[in-house]
Amino acid sequence: MTTIGLIGSGNIGSTVARLALAGGHDVVLSNSRGPETLAGLVADLGPRARAATAAEAARAGDLVVVTVPLKNYLDVPVEPLRGKVVIDTNNYYPDRDGHIDSLDQESTTTSELLQAHLPESHVVKAFNNIFFQHLATLARPAGDPERSALVIAGDDPAAKKTVTEFLDSIGYDTLDAGPLAEGWRFQRDTAAYVTPYVDPAEGFSGPAHPAAADTLKESLSRAERYRDM
C-alpha cells in the first residue's frame, strides 16, 4: 500500500486525495494553515486519511503531490523530499503569483523552478491541465473505452514510471510529453489546457468529456509559447 503525501489541499489536492483513496492508497494532507484546519476534510475522507504539517506529509509520502500556489513554491520543504518522486500540479497565474521574470521571458517553466528548489527530488509535472471537477469525474478502470489520459513531463524515467503507475491506479492513462522543459506545452492558455476535456462552447465548468492520449497528443502539437499567441 502506498502513502500519498499532499502539500496543499485545495481543489486539486483534495480531488487527488479522494481518487488516491479510491485507488487503494493512504493519504496524508497538509496546507499552509495547519493540520487542525483540515479536520472536516479528513473526517469526510475517512480513516485512511490524516492531516499533518507540510514537512510531515513530505516525510510520510512514498509519492508526494505539491499543489500550492506557484508564488509559495519556495516554502515547500526540501530535506524530507530528498530522493522522492514529487508531482507538481502548478500553473503560472501572474494575477495571483506576481510576475516571475524567468517565466515571463520563457527561459524556464514552473516545474523546472520547483525542480531547482528540490535538486535531489525527482519532479514530474501532472494534473495541471485539467479542471478539478473534470479530474474527479473522468476516472475510469483500465480498458474502459471512455478512459481519459493525463499529460506528464519529467526528466527522470523511473520517476515518470512511478507517476504513470499511480495515475493508472486512480483511473487514468498517461501521455508522456517529454522532459520538464516541455511542460509549457500543456500549461495555462495552450490547446492542451482544460479544453480537451470539455466542449469549449460550454466553458471550463461544463460537463467533462473523455480525452484519450491521441486527443491530448494532437493538442500538444498545437501548443504555442505565450509570445507567439
Side-chain angles (χ1 to χ4, degrees), residues 159-190:
K160 288 197 283 189
K161 182 176 184 292
T162 295
V163 173
T164 296
E165 291 170 350
F166 173 62
L167 295 182
D168 179 57
S169 76
I170 66 171
Y172 286 91
D173 292 335
T174 300
L175 176 64
D176 186 349
L180 282 181
E182 292 296 292
W184 69 270
R185 293 186 178 277
F186 52 106
Q187 66 189 8
R188 176 182 60 84
D189 292 339
T190 63

Side-chain angles (χ1 to χ4, degrees), residues 1-6 13-28 48 63 65 127 166 169-171:
M1 184 179 295
T2 301
T3 297
I4 309 302
L6 292 118
S14 59
T15 300
V16 172
R18 291 182 191 279
L19 291 171
L21 289 166
H25 306 281
D26 292 336
V27 298
V28 180
R48 294 196 348 262
L63 174 66
V65 181
F127 295 122
F166 173 62
S169 76
I170 66 171

